[in-house]
């Protein structure tokens, strides 16, 4: 089948690679250069959690993804995930922390926040009043290395990847306008992240595009620290980053933005991040040495949207909604293949019909 994939962030790359491997004639289109930093998928690291507190469907997806990540690592010839363990935390009674504990295959007791300090040799601290669940099956994904791997691998499997190829909005059927040229396909999969609402306006009301900023803090700890996902008022998350840094971001802070006009990180962002670093990262300099901005594309309940267009059943919106999508990347290609073949897995069914099968999240963590 002749398939167009619109947008080559992590979702579009995974889908292009997998569909080409399955024998489809795949053309992937990306408006920017390879490895650009304007969407949601750039940066050195992302958090991996095999037991996401977001619910059973996401746990099933993450476990499915784990095997596929190992295949990707074999093909890439390098590790793409480092298993560091994780600290899922939040004020006492946090539903997110309770869900992590409930869904875990090793449901250990919750800890009080101050128990973390000795466990991390004083490099991470949390308030006594917080609940903490130590999640063993968590780690960090080498995000840019994964994108670079897929940019090499997808063409090896036959996908034709076109960069600096902007698809004109709106998409209304199977004919796309690409830099002024019209081309027709048998199916179109729209993986355009923050731009999805522009390309498929029928979904715009369900997709809010938000600016987020992450900051890197110098660490003198030579061992890898655990990742952090906290259900506090700013939704702070943290992870080790290469070359002696620990990275923090704020899941719940940052306003709506136009994806074509995003404000660069500034002093106000540094102050917000530093406030979290002072508490969470003793023994670190609380001033970020570097910051980067990124886009979240969020639905009202923070679940993914995977849905055919009302205008054409062979046009699919595939939005790995940006708060927490990277870890599932290898499964995106598999789910696109299921959709084309008309044989959805339980996970795809659940994500395509969220009302019936998955809960409101509202507190999703990266
Ligand atoms: C700060 C931050 C931290 C995160 N942390 C984590 C984490 O720890 N763990 C985790 O699992 N997930 C995390 N995520 C979420 C994860 O990164 C996203 O879910 C994922 O990257 C979304 O990928 P995407 O391919 O859907 O979107 P994108 O990467 O934005 O890709 C969309 C692409 O479409 C292209 N495009 C748009 N319009 C057009 C057009 N008209 N023509 C051609 N191309 C077009 C864009 O240029 C872009 O390259 C984080 C996200 C952010 C922003």
């Amino acid at each position: 089948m002749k398939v167009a994939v619109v947008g080559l962030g992590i979702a579009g790359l995974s889908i292009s690679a997998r569909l080409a491997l399955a024998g489809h004639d795949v053309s992937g289109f990306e408006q920017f250069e390879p490895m650009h930093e304007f969407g949601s998928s750039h940066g050195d690291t992302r958090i991996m959690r095999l037991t996401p507190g977001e619910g059973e469907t996401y746990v099933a997806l993450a476990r499915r993804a784990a095997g596929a990540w190992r295949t990707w690592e074999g093909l890439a010839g390098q590790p793409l995930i480092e298993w560091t363990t994780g600290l899922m935390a939040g004020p006492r009674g946090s539903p997110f922390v309770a869900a992590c504990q409930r869904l875990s295959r090793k449901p250990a007791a919750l800890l009080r926040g101050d128990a973390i300090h000795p466990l991390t040799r004083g490099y991470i601290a949390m308030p006594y009043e917080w609940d903490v669940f130590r999640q063993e099956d968590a780690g960090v994904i080498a995000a840019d290395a994964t994108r670079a791997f897929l940019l090499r691998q997808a063409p090896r499997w036959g996908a034709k990847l076109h960069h600096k190829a902007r698809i004109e909005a709106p998409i209304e059927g199977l004919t796309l306008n690409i830099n002024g040229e019209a081309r027709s396909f048998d199916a179109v999969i729209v993986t355009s992240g923050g731009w999805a609402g522009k390309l498929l306006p029928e979904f715009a009301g369900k997709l809010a595009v938000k600016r987020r900023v992450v900051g890197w803090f110098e660490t003198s700890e030579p061992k890898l620290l655990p990742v952090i996902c906290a259900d506090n008022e700013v939704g702070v998350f943290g992870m080790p980053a290469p070359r002696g840094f620990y990275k923090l971001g704020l899941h719940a802070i940052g306003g709506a933005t136009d994806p074509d006009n995003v404000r660069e990180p500034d002093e106000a962002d540094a102050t917000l991040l530093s406030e979290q670093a002072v508490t969470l990262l003793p023994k670190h300099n609380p001033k970020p040495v570097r910051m980067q901005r990124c886009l979240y594309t969020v639905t009202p309940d923070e679940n993914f949207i995977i849905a055919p267009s009302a205008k054409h059943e062979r046009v699919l919106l595939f939005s790995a909604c940006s708060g927490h999508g990277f870890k599932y990347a290898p499964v995106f290609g598999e789910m696109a293949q299921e959709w084309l073949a008309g044989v959805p897995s339980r996970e795809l069914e659940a994500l395509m019909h969220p009302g019936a099968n998955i809960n409101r999240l509202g507190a999703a963590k990266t």
Side-chain angles (χ1 to χ4, degrees), residues 55-138:
E56 284 86 357
T57 297
Y58 293 97
V59 173
L61 271 188
R63 302 224 160 118
R64 231 179 113 173
W69 275 108
R70 282 194 290 277
T71 305
W72 279 8
E73 288 180 318
L75 290 163
Q78 67 179 102
L80 296 173
I81 299 180
E82 283 205 74
W83 297 98
T84 60
T85 76
L87 302 172
M88 306 300 128
R92 192 164 299 176
S94 155
F96 168 71
V97 179
C100 292
Q101 184 191 36
R102 178 174 50 81
L103 293 165
S104 174
R105 283 182 176 164
K106 292 188 183 171
L110 298 185
L111 303 174
R112 294 266 62 80
D114 62 348
I116 298 316
H117 205 242
L119 288 176
T120 57
R121 300 163 296 284
Y123 282 89
I124 297 179
M126 290 179 178
Y128 169 77
E129 310 80 53
W130 279 16
D131 287 340
V132 183
F133 180 64
R134 285 183 79 194
Q135 199 163 303
E136 287 187 11
D137 53 10

Side-chain angles (χ1 to χ4, degrees), residues 5-13 29-32 36 38-42 45-49 141 147 165-169 171 191-196 199 210 212-214 237 239 247 249-250 292-297 304 318-328 332 365-366:
V5 179
V6 181
L8 296 176
I10 193 63
L13 285 170
F29 300 99
E30 168 55 51
Q31 61 184 339
F32 299 125
H36 73 83
F38 306 114
S40 303
S41 301
H42 57 282
T45 50
R46 289 290 187 282
I47 295 173
M48 177 65 180
R49 291 176 290 128
I141 302 168
R147 277 198 303 161
R166 186 173 187 135
I167 304 299
E168 278 170 37
I171 293 174
T191 48
S192 54
W195 289 262
L199 285 164
K210 303 275 180 79
R212 294 289 184 265
V213 174
V214 292
F237 58 90
M239 65 199 92
K247 184 162 88 173
L250 308 176
Q292 194 171 50
R293 48 89 159 177
C294 190
L295 295 175
Y296 269 20
T297 313
F304 297 170
F318 197 115
S319 179
C321 283
S322 303
H324 57 122
F326 208 106
K327 62 182 77 59
Y328 312 108
F332 297 156
K365 297 285 170 286
T366 58

Side-chain angles (χ1 to χ4, degrees), residues 241-310:
R243 292 181 292 279
F245 294 102
Y246 197 85
K247 184 162 88 173
L248 289 184
L250 308 176
H251 182 75
I253 299 288
T257 187
D258 176 348
D260 289 312
N261 186 18
V262 185
R263 203 175 80 244
E264 289 302 324
D266 56 22
E267 272 310 304
D269 297 306
T271 303
L272 285 168
L273 288 164
S274 290
E275 280 169 13
Q276 297 299 314
V278 165
T279 322
L280 275 174
L281 303 178
K283 297 203 201 174
H284 291 72
N285 181 340
K287 195 172 157 39
V289 292
R290 186 161 76 88
M291 293 186 287
Q292 194 171 50
R293 48 89 159 177
C294 190
L295 295 175
Y296 269 20
T297 313
V298 281
T299 57
D301 62 7
E302 299 202 6
N303 283 306
F304 297 170
I305 287 195
I306 304 177
S309 161

Side-chain angles (χ1 to χ4, degrees), residues 5 7 25 64 79 81 89 91 107 118 132 156 159 179 188-189 243 264 331 351:
V5 179
D25 176 5
R64 231 179 113 173
I81 299 180
V132 183
R156 280 183 196 148
N179 293 341
V188 173
I189 302 180
R243 292 181 292 279
E264 289 302 324
V331 185
L351 293 169

